[in-house]
């Protein structure tokens, strides 16, 4: 399995260097030395999605970088990132981010306070140690994976498959190394350390941390831009130093649309609760 993962990761690095090219799953399979069918099965087993979906996600991610960092025309960015035309690009971009390329650029363009209107800094709070009964997935440049976990969890709750009392829902993303490259997403409910867990839920213990709390007001599709605002504008402005290799999301306690994001920062955890 380790050898298979290395082959797939080599292909992914190769693709990243030539996103503007006319790439296809067949070309990726030839590069790996496999048939297209075998390569697709292997890729999906390692990455968790088909090579075609992953390739589209990488192109959208690269396009988002271009929209944030420069003033090139949307058409030029589409072609530079390997899309055949601007219509195909706009459709793929909206599916992945919830916004059109032009709307995304208006929100994150340089020189504008990206936190305007939908991210609010609520100061510092202490997050106590807690256990999470969670569904988990490795995420490799795919912003749709966390949403899929939430859909699976909420579907189980709606079906009555889980106890009604399990409503303290949270998401934790944690990583080793660079979180922009790869991280693990866990979605579930806060539970006791000795609770029996239904399959395929796993028990995760999240350590206590002093956190900066941010309130995101608006639809879930704004989360990607909220993180841009938090890490690009708000945290640097606060002077806080990041600590720990995880970040916590939870629904807003008042039940309104949006989420709270808790980012661990350097400091001493007190006895305060959330």
């Amino acid at each position: 399995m380790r050898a298979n993962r290395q082959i797939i990761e080599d292909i992914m690095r190769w693709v990243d260097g030539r996103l503007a090219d006319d790439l296809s799953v067949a070309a990726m399979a030839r590069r790996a030395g496999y048939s297209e069918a075998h390569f697709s099965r292997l890729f999906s087993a390692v990455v968790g999605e088909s090579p075609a979906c992953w390739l589209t996600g990488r192109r959208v991610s690269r396009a988002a970088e271009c929209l944030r960092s420069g003033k090139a025309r949307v058409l030029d960015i589409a072609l530079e990132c390997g899309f055949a035309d601007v219509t195909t690009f706009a459709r793929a971009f909206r599916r992945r981010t919830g916004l059109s390329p032009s709307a995304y650029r208006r929100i994150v363009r340089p020189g504008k306070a990206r936190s305007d209107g939908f991210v609010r800094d609520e100061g510092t709070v202490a997050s106590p140690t807690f256990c999470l009964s969670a569904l988990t997935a490795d995420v490799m440049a795919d912003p749709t994976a966390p949403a899929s976990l939430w859909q699976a969890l909420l579907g189980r709750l709606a079906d009555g498959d889980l106890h009604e009392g399990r409503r303290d829902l949270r998401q934790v993303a944690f990583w080793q190394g660079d979180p922009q490259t790869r991280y693990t997403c866990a979605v579930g409910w806060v539970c006791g350390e000795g609770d029996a867990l239904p399959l395929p839920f796993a028990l995760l213990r999240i350590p206590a941390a002093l956190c900066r709390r941010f309130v995101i007001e608006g639809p879930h599709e704004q989360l990607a831009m909220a993180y841009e605002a938090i890490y690009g504008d708000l945290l640097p402005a606060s002077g806080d130093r990041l600590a720990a290799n995880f970040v916590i999301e939870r629904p807003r306690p008042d039940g309104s649309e949006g989420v709270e994001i808790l980012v661990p920062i350097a400091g001493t955890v007190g006895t305060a609760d959330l």
Side-chain angles (χ1 to χ4, degrees):
M1 185 63 186
R2 183 175 298 176
N4 289 341
R5 181 176 294 278
Q6 184 61 54
I7 290 170
I8 295 303
E9 290 179 351
D10 287 346
I11 292 297
M12 295 167 81
R13 285 189 289 270
W14 176 76
V15 168
D16 261 346
R18 45 187 49 78
L19 287 175
D21 295 352
D22 184 18
L23 294 171
S24 64
V25 176
M28 295 163 68
R30 285 195 299 272
R31 176 78 181 183
Y34 294 130
S35 70
E36 185 173 344
H38 180 70
F39 174 77
S40 295
R41 287 193 297 271
L42 180 60
F43 191 100
S44 297
V46 171
V47 179
E49 64 178 337
S50 71
C53 287
W54 175 84
L55 176 58
T56 298
R58 288 301 301 137
R59 284 174 163 158
V60 167
S61 296
R62 181 70 56 79
E65 293 174 10
C66 295
L67 289 166
R68 291 195 300 268
S69 61
K71 296 182 179 180
R73 296 185 307 162
V74 171
L75 173 59
D76 293 336
I77 291 174
L79 298 177
E80 180 183 339
C81 294
F83 292 95
D85 54 67
V86 72
T87 301
T88 302
F89 167 53
R91 187 181 300 117
F93 196 92
R94 183 180 290 277
R95 278 200 305 267
R96 292 272 172 164
T97 69
L99 294 168
S100 70
S102 297
Y104 181 87
R105 168 175 269 169
R106 283 195 299 272
I107 293 174
V108 302
R109 69 181 184 271
K112 182 178 183 296
R114 288 175 288 178
S115 58
D116 286 355
F118 68 99
V119 183
R120 189 171 70 248
D121 187 344
E122 290 288 308
T124 302
V125 297
S127 173
T129 299
F130 65 91
C131 292
L132 194 70
S133 176
L135 299 171
T136 64
D138 287 335
V139 181
M140 299 181 71
D142 177 16
T144 66
S148 298
L149 289 178
W150 275 107
Q151 289 173 1
L153 174 63
L154 295 176
R156 294 282 296 271
L157 289 169
D159 292 341
D161 196 17
L162 304 174
H163 294 318
E164 287 298 317
R166 294 169 175 168
R167 284 295 185 268
D168 189 359
L169 304 180
R170 302 190 187 185
Q171 173 179 311
V172 178
F174 50 95
W175 55 87
Q176 297 292 334
D178 182 6
Q180 298 292 330
T181 303
R182 185 171 187 173
Y183 66 93
T184 297
C185 181
V187 170
W189 65 87
V190 176
C191 65
E193 196 157 359
D195 287 0
L197 305 181
L199 294 174
F201 288 81
L203 181 69
L204 302 177
R205 190 174 186 273
I206 311 303
L210 182 68
C211 297
R212 199 85 183 180
R213 179 168 64 184
F214 300 94
V215 174
I216 316 304
E217 298 178 338
H220 183 82
E221 288 78 8
Q222 290 186 332
L223 269 178
M225 287 166 293
Y227 275 102
E228 288 285 343
I230 290 168
Y231 286 99
D233 296 328
L234 297 173
L235 282 173
S238 72
D240 289 323
R241 183 166 58 86
L242 295 177
N245 64 338
F246 63 89
V247 63
I248 302 167
E249 290 180 21
R250 66 178 188 177
R252 296 178 64 184
D254 61 7
S256 56
E257 187 177 35
V259 300
E260 289 188 351
I261 295 177
L262 304 180
V263 181
I265 58 174
T268 303
V269 180
T271 57
D273 203 349
L274 291 177

